[in-house]
Amino acid sequence: MKCYYCALEGKDSEAVAICIVCGMGLCMEHAIRKDVDVWEGGYPLPSKRVKAPLPRILCPACYNSLYGK
């Protein structure tokens, strides 16, 4: 699989990750790692944060959509 963003730029880079949201193939240059807090608990409440965050890989477009940066 090739990196989608590199292909748009006319480059040929292998994908090393896949965006967890949209499934786009990403190279190391375009992959964004985001540690996401995980919450557990029953309905309706209380919920508590799990001790360790869960690492996720996002493409730039999904990262900007979710986190507005």
Side-chain angles (χ1 to χ4, degrees):
M1 182 183 284
K2 304 292 182 183
C3 174
Y4 179 78
Y5 282 97
C6 285
L8 290 177
E9 297 170 357
K11 297 188 238 174
D12 186 29
S13 299
E14 292 294 322
V16 297
I18 296 174
C19 177
I20 192 69
V21 177
C22 69
M24 187 181 303
L26 302 164
C27 68
M28 288 297 290
E29 180 183 341
H30 292 109
I32 300 171
R33 180 183 168 169
K34 176 74 176 166
D35 290 336
V36 178
D37 289 331
V38 179
W39 294 80
E40 67 179 1
Y43 179 79
L45 291 174
S47 61
K48 61 181 180 177
R49 187 181 327 189
V50 177
K51 290 181 182 180
L54 187 63
R56 296 291 192 190
I57 303 295
L58 299 167
C59 70
C62 291
Y63 180 82
N64 290 336
S65 294
L66 292 170
Y67 299 102
K69 297 178 182 176

